[in-house]
Amino acid sequence: MPKTSSRVLTLLSLLQTRRDWPGRALAERLDVSARTVRRDVDRLRELGYRIRASKGPDGGYRLEAGDELPPLLFDDEQAVALSVALQAAALSAAGIEEAALRALTSVRQVMPVRLRHRLEALRFTTVVDAAVPVAQDTLVEVSAAIRACEELRFDYARVGDRPGADLSPVPRRVQPHHLIAAQGRWYLIGWDAGREDWRVHRVDRMTLRSHRGARFTPRVVPGGDSHAFLRGRFRGATDGEKWPCRGKVVLRAPASRVIPFVSDGVVEPVGADSCLVELGAWSWGALAALLLRFEVDVEVVEPPELTAAFAEIGQRVSIAAGGERRGERSPQGSASAV
């Protein structure tokens, strides 16, 4: 028979795994009498657990919510998951950083050595909470490779919507540097020695190989800020966080109306009903579309590429509205233009 303290902890673990436990089933699982189960339940109640007992031939026990938080038991996977969540919360800028850090410290202090080693290897930064599920073991393995400065070998899933496109996974070998949660996904920033360039990979599309590669000397991500580097890649930028396409226009609208919708641009009043706007986007067409959302007249200041993008959009709009198709001639014999 297990010692009393060990048996009580086992009882608590069982009560946490399902809503209702028949008394006879608990006695069989613990290899004790029904009377011993009742005494152990009383010991848990003294520790602050609210356990409701039901009488009768099918009577049993149910662990309920209490007024205070008593000690909890976690299995290995729950403990790792809890630590991942607490570390993310400690970096979330959500106002709970200090409490999350204290909770993380408390959890680590009482963990078995085998789990503590896994958690010590888990290091990441976060921008917003991740939403796309990623295997816990994958996060731990990637973090361990970052800490050990060892190459990661993995197969990377390709995505596409073209019929007949080859979507078979592509083998990759990357020197991992940063693991970041942003915009609902996990991203790995690493140096691809074969391409001699930095690459960003979505972790949910990675299937790790069984062995890691050679050790490497860490590099500094361009700009020295992994968050800024990732934001720049989201924008399609090759130089820091700057948008690859940036232009200036005059909008026939008051600056006060435009400013709330230009988060990372520059707005300068030109008059009571006009303003100068400098804004960026990942393409000239996207920039033109962003400016058209104000539904006012637009005068392009620079560059010529933005003027061409407006002309292209105008032609597409004309087609959508049932006007002349691209390349058709007007009655006067000239090509249609907008």
Side-chain angles (χ1 to χ4, degrees):
M1 181 185 299
K3 293 182 179 180
T4 301
S5 57
S6 176
R7 189 181 63 244
V8 171
L9 290 176
T10 303
L11 172 61
L12 175 59
S13 179
L14 291 173
L15 291 172
Q16 289 178 158
T17 59
R18 55 189 280 187
R19 183 172 178 82
D20 292 288
W21 271 97
R24 183 179 302 174
L26 285 175
E28 292 176 354
R29 290 291 295 269
L30 297 172
D31 194 20
V32 296
S33 66
R35 181 178 180 181
T36 300
V37 171
R38 288 195 297 271
R39 288 201 300 265
D40 289 345
V41 167
D42 289 338
R43 292 188 178 96
L44 288 175
R45 286 169 175 162
E46 292 173 358
L47 293 174
Y49 293 95
R50 292 183 59 180
I51 302 174
R52 191 178 72 177
S54 56
K55 299 181 179 180
D58 297 323
Y61 300 91
R62 173 186 295 184
L63 180 63
E64 298 183 328
D67 298 327
E68 297 180 353
L69 183 64
L72 300 175
L73 290 180
F74 301 102
D75 60 31
D76 288 5
E77 297 305 316
Q78 289 175 324
V80 173
L82 177 62
S83 297
V84 170
L86 287 173
Q87 187 167 337
L91 299 167
S92 65
I96 59 173
E97 296 87 346
E98 182 181 352
L101 186 58
R102 286 190 286 107
L104 181 61
T105 301
S106 299
V107 170
R108 283 179 172 171
Q109 284 178 342
V110 297
M111 277 187 173
V113 175
R114 66 179 185 278
L115 290 184
R116 196 175 304 159
H117 287 329
R118 293 179 63 187
L119 297 174
E120 287 298 327
L122 187 56
R123 292 289 184 271
F124 60 89
T125 55
T126 178
V127 178
V128 295
D129 290 340
V132 176
V134 175
Q136 184 183 108
D137 290 342
T138 300
L139 293 177
V140 172
E141 184 68 18
V142 172
S143 296
I146 293 174
R147 187 181 183 190
C149 297
E150 294 178 347
E151 287 185 342
L152 275 178
R153 301 171 184 267
F154 55 89
D155 293 323
Y156 196 61
R158 291 187 288 190
V159 295
D161 54 8
R162 290 183 302 172
D166 182 11
L167 301 181
S168 57
V170 179
R172 291 279 189 260
R173 191 181 69 180
V174 174
Q175 297 174 359
H177 283 70
H178 303 280
L179 181 62
I180 299 179
Q183 298 187 2
R185 293 184 175 91
W186 288 97
Y187 294 92
L188 170 66
I189 299 176
W191 174 262
D192 190 318
R195 296 171 175 81
E196 296 186 347
D197 194 11
W198 290 93
R199 289 290 189 268
V200 176
H201 294 90
R202 276 177 47 180
V203 179
D204 60 291
R205 290 166 54 186
M206 295 167 50
T207 301
L208 299 180
R209 301 288 183 88
S210 57
H211 299 287
R212 298 201 293 264
R215 294 181 63 86
F216 63 88
T217 301
R219 301 168 182 262
V220 178
V221 72
D225 186 337
S226 59
H227 294 172
F229 176 82
L230 185 61
R231 287 194 297 267
R233 287 302 174 98
F234 285 157
R235 296 175 175 182
T238 57
D239 180 17
E241 293 186 72
K242 295 180 181 178
W243 290 107
C245 300
R246 197 168 184 86
K248 290 183 180 181
V249 301
V250 173
L251 295 181
R252 304 303 176 186
S256 59
R257 174 187 165 188
V258 176
I259 288 175
F261 304 100
V262 181
S263 58
D264 62 348
V266 179
V267 180
E268 298 178 7
V270 174
D273 299 320
S274 299
C275 60
L276 178 67
V277 177
E278 182 178 355
L279 194 62
W282 55 92
S283 70
W284 295 114
L287 179 56
L290 286 173
L291 293 166
L292 287 173
R293 64 179 173 161
F294 292 100
E295 299 182 342
V296 297
D297 292 341
V298 182
E299 177 187 343
V300 177
V301 177
E302 61 179 12
E305 291 84 352
L306 182 54
T307 302
F310 274 111
E312 177 73 14
I313 288 180
Q315 198 168 24
R316 292 178 185 274
V317 171
S318 178
I319 294 172
E324 297 173 348
R325 294 191 175 276
R326 187 174 307 189
E328 290 183 350
R329 297 284 177 175
S330 63
Q332 292 75 21
S334 59
S336 61
V338 178

